[in-house]
Amino acid sequence: MNIRPVTTQQGNEITDPPLARFLFSDKRFAAVWAVVRVLLGIAWVQASLHKLSSPDWMETGVALKGFWTAAVTIPAGKTAGPIAFNWYQSFIQGLLDAQAYTWFAKVIAISEFAFGVLLIVGAFVGIAAFAAGFMNWNFLMAGSASTNPLLFVAAIFLVLAWKTAGYYGLDRYLLPRLGTPWKTKPKDTTAYPTGNPAPKGV
């Protein structure tokens, strides 16, 4: 893939400021992200434990049904409910009508636990933080504030710092071995464009 960076009128590439590189790409700041990562992971594990042990989440899904029902219900005397956007209210109502809570509650409970564990041990931090932040976003869209704004901001910062946020964790060993899927292998310069090896003496 050809990268087309933003450049100045003189043709110089506009790069990230030194502060951003220090915060999100420098291993010297990794210890700070380790603290944020572990605290966020603990919060997710704690949020999941009561769900994993509750039949209302793991069997019937009525706990999630109650949350969705409250989210789409417009209180008496008001013109709007907790959800600010009509399209998202229609989305939640569609899930309710399809009785998706019977299986979606399990997905939420297990996902919260999985995100928390991955963040605590520092494995695939960028992916785990993105997924956790997306869940926070959905909770916010459904009208539930609580600690979701703070957790969402923490997740965003961990996504930005994905290269170093797990340095004091399993990513320190996983990332160098797995690399990144979007990095292409260098071309073989020992062959001609046709794929035939270069003749001797060339």
Side-chain angles (χ1 to χ4, degrees), residues 182-201:
W182 51 86
K183 185 176 181 180
T184 57
K185 295 181 180 179
K187 294 182 179 180
D188 185 3
T189 58
T190 63
Y192 283 111
T194 58
N196 298 321
K200 293 182 179 180

Side-chain angles (χ1 to χ4, degrees), residues 36 40 136 140 145-157:
V36 175
L40 182 61
N136 285 131
L140 289 168
S146 185
T147 59
N148 284 301
L150 180 61
L151 298 182
F152 180 74
V153 171
I156 292 298
F157 277 114

Side-chain angles (χ1 to χ4, degrees), residues 87-106:
W87 64 268
Y88 196 82
Q89 182 169 348
S90 299
F91 170 67
I92 296 298
Q93 186 63 58
L95 293 176
L96 270 171
D97 295 340
Q99 297 183 350
Y101 50 83
T102 57
W103 59 268
F104 210 99
K106 300 181 184 68

Side-chain angles (χ1 to χ4, degrees), residues 16-30 32-33 36 153-167 175:
D16 295 326
L19 179 59
R21 293 199 300 271
F22 174 67
L23 292 178
F24 304 125
S25 300
D26 197 314
K27 291 184 291 187
R28 290 174 294 177
F29 207 76
V32 175
W33 295 126
V36 175
V153 171
I156 292 298
F157 277 114
L158 289 177
V159 171
L160 293 173
W162 69 273
K163 288 180 287 186
T164 58
Y167 184 74
L175 293 183

Side-chain angles (χ1 to χ4, degrees), residues 53-191:
S53 59
S54 172
D56 291 344
W57 281 92
M58 299 304 293
E59 294 180 15
T60 63
V62 294
L64 182 59
K65 178 184 179 182
F67 174 70
W68 282 349
T69 301
V72 300
T73 300
I74 300 177
K78 294 186 178 181
T79 58
I83 300 179
F85 299 97
N86 291 332
W87 64 268
Y88 196 82
Q89 182 169 348
S90 299
F91 170 67
I92 296 298
Q93 186 63 58
L95 293 176
L96 270 171
D97 295 340
Q99 297 183 350
Y101 50 83
T102 57
W103 59 268
F104 210 99
K106 300 181 184 68
V107 173
I108 291 177
I110 296 173
S111 296
E112 287 182 350
F113 182 78
F115 300 157
V117 171
L118 288 174
L119 289 170
I120 291 173
V121 301
F124 307 110
V125 172
I127 298 173
F130 177 83
F134 181 68
M135 186 171 288
N136 285 131
W137 176 81
N138 277 278
F139 291 156
L140 289 168
M141 291 292 290
S144 175
S146 185
T147 59
N148 284 301
L150 180 61
L151 298 182
F152 180 74
V153 171
I156 292 298
F157 277 114
L158 289 177
V159 171
L160 293 173
W162 69 273
K163 288 180 287 186
T164 58
Y167 184 74
Y168 293 107
L170 294 182
D171 274 352
R172 182 172 184 170
Y173 310 98
L174 291 174
L175 293 183
R177 284 165 174 76
L178 299 178
T180 50
W182 51 86
K183 185 176 181 180
T184 57
K185 295 181 180 179
K187 294 182 179 180
D188 185 3
T189 58
T190 63

